[in-house]
Amino acid sequence: MNAGEAVDSVQLAQALASAVTLVRDRFPAASVNLNPWRDDPQTRRWQEDQTLDLAFHFPGWSPRLECRSLLLQLRLQKADAAESPAAPDLLGVLMRGMTYDGERWRLVTVGDWQPEGSHLPQPEQVQQLRGICRDLFDLFANPAATGTAA
């Protein structure tokens, strides 16, 4: 689900802002898009309410990342509002390197966190991408941190 449409609490808005800051710290030239998906019947058919989807677009081709855009899908387990107004738990991250032709590679926080695809990012970039994923898990595990990074 588009992150811009999914934010329904202050805690989630703070977590999302902090997540954007985490990525922009490593890729300062990237611009954020909180609504990467079109609103059409086909897209709505595949909508997942338990995710936050956002994209980062580079001002041109990134040869080290082998893409023009990063698409992030954060799979969440939302906290019960009756129990606590806390930010949801982060269950996993799916990161995709995209071009106009489609997906070039993907990195999923399952197994060994190795990117797969036709055109993989350079090894030092893979380490940065893994670092973003680790920081995202830390961010959602420590709700107090969401107020400081944004």
Side-chain angles (χ1 to χ4, degrees):
M1 170 176 248
N2 284 331
E5 299 165 6
V7 174
D8 58 1
S9 70
V10 172
Q11 293 80 10
L12 188 55
Q14 288 175 329
L16 179 61
S18 295
V20 167
T21 300
L22 286 174
V23 176
R24 294 283 319 275
D25 282 347
R26 288 189 171 88
F27 303 111
S31 63
V32 67
N33 179 355
L34 298 179
N35 294 302
W37 301 115
R38 292 181 296 198
D39 187 21
D40 60 27
Q42 183 177 1
T43 303
R44 278 191 299 269
R45 192 177 105 199
W46 295 103
Q47 180 173 315
E48 297 180 57
D49 292 335
Q50 297 298 318
T51 65
L52 285 181
D53 298 347
L54 57 153
F56 294 87
H57 306 291
F58 299 107
W61 174 257
S62 174
R64 294 180 298 171
L65 285 171
E66 287 286 336
C67 64
R68 289 186 56 89
S69 301
L70 288 177
L71 178 64
L72 266 65
Q73 186 176 57
L74 308 177
R75 180 156 306 278
L76 305 172
Q77 179 177 1
K78 293 200 177 183
D80 183 12
E83 290 180 17
S84 166
D89 292 328
L90 181 62
L91 300 176
V93 178
L94 169 60
M95 194 178 290
R96 297 176 181 174
M98 306 293 290
T99 67
Y100 294 115
D101 295 328
E103 181 180 291
R104 310 257 300 169
W105 55 264
R106 71 173 47 201
L107 186 144
V108 182
T109 57
V110 174
D112 59 5
W113 294 24
Q114 287 295 323
E116 298 176 352
S118 61
H119 297 80
L120 300 178
Q122 293 181 358
E124 58 273 2
Q125 299 302 308
V126 172
Q127 292 304 319
Q128 277 198 325
L129 297 170
R130 286 184 189 147
I132 290 170
C133 293
R134 280 190 297 276
D135 290 347
L136 287 168
F137 278 107
D138 290 343
L139 174 73
F140 279 85
N142 182 9
T146 60
T148 59

